[in-house]
Structure formats: structure tokens, C-alpha cells
Amino acid sequence: MAVERKKKSTDTEMMETQDTEVLVEPIEAVDLVEEQKETIPQILVYVGPTLASTLLWQNRTFSGGYPAEVGHLEQKHPYIKRLFVEPNKVADAMRAIATKGSAMNVYFNRLKGE
């Protein structure tokens, strides 16, 4: 017995085919918007400049998402979360920071004077 699922079916119905009986049952539509919501990685590396007045040091690793003080800094620097990357993306982020005019370079330099 093979089972075939249809997205638009509203009732469960049985269909006979040559040698196989197929059960067609309703399936809830998947909300693609929810699937595309940003998920925060469990481990993040801060690649921005060291901020002396905070616990944000360049290349410091944080587990469990963003550190609490980011919320306070985000009011003044709304781009600060972009300077947190997954460990496997640190090299790419550092290259982007070194590239004059890139978004990462601009974010880094804006924070550098803090």
C-alpha cells in the first residue's frame, strides 16, 4: 500500500489504482514566512573592534546567542548584530572587514571610535 499526500485536499479519500491502493489525506500548508525567520546560532563570534567599556572583545566567542549588553548597544548602533558571525564564517567576515567600503568595513569603523 503506497501513501500519496496532496496539499490542497480537504477530505480524506481513498483512490483505487491498478494494483495499489492510495490514501490521500489533507496536509496543512507550510507557512514559508515562518521558515524564513532568522534563527540565532547558538555560538557567535564577535568580529567587531574591542569596545573597552563593554565585554565585547574582538574574536570573543559567545554561546547561547547574543550577549545581553548588545540590546543596550543596539539602540545607538543598530548594525552591531551584523558583527556577530558563526564560527565557520569568521574568515569571510574578517576579509569583508578588511575590504574598504564593504558593509562590514563600515560597521567596524563606526564602532572603532567608541
Side-chain angles (χ1 to χ4, degrees):
M1 175 186 221
V3 176
E4 178 184 312
R5 297 182 184 265
K6 283 186 174 179
K7 284 188 178 181
K8 295 184 181 181
S9 177
T10 57
D11 298 314
T12 301
E13 53 189 33
M14 296 292 285
M15 295 178 6
E16 288 281 336
T17 59
Q18 292 175 356
D19 295 330
T20 310
E21 187 177 274
V22 178
L23 174 64
V24 180
E25 55 188 50
I27 295 179
E28 294 179 25
V30 176
D31 186 2
L32 296 177
V33 176
E34 279 193 31
E35 285 184 10
Q36 293 174 357
K37 285 184 181 176
E38 182 180 332
T39 58
I40 301 170
Q42 288 301 308
I43 298 176
L44 293 168
V45 179
Y46 174 69
V47 295
T50 297
L51 301 177
S53 62
T54 68
L55 295 174
L56 295 179
W57 307 308
Q58 188 173 36
N59 297 320
R60 182 168 180 198
T61 302
F62 296 90
S63 62
Y66 299 104
E69 62 191 295
V70 168
H72 169 70
L73 290 168
E74 194 173 23
Q75 293 172 1
K76 187 175 180 183
H77 307 285
Y79 49 84
I80 194 163
K81 285 185 176 179
R82 294 190 173 120
L83 292 169
F84 287 85
V85 297
E86 295 177 49
N88 62 341
K89 296 180 181 175
V90 170
D92 292 336
M94 296 307 282
R95 274 192 291 278
I97 288 169
T99 303
K100 188 173 182 172
S102 72
M104 291 293 278
N105 176 267
V106 171
Y107 302 146
F108 184 93
N109 287 321
R110 283 183 184 170
L111 280 174
K112 201 174 187 179
E114 290 294 312

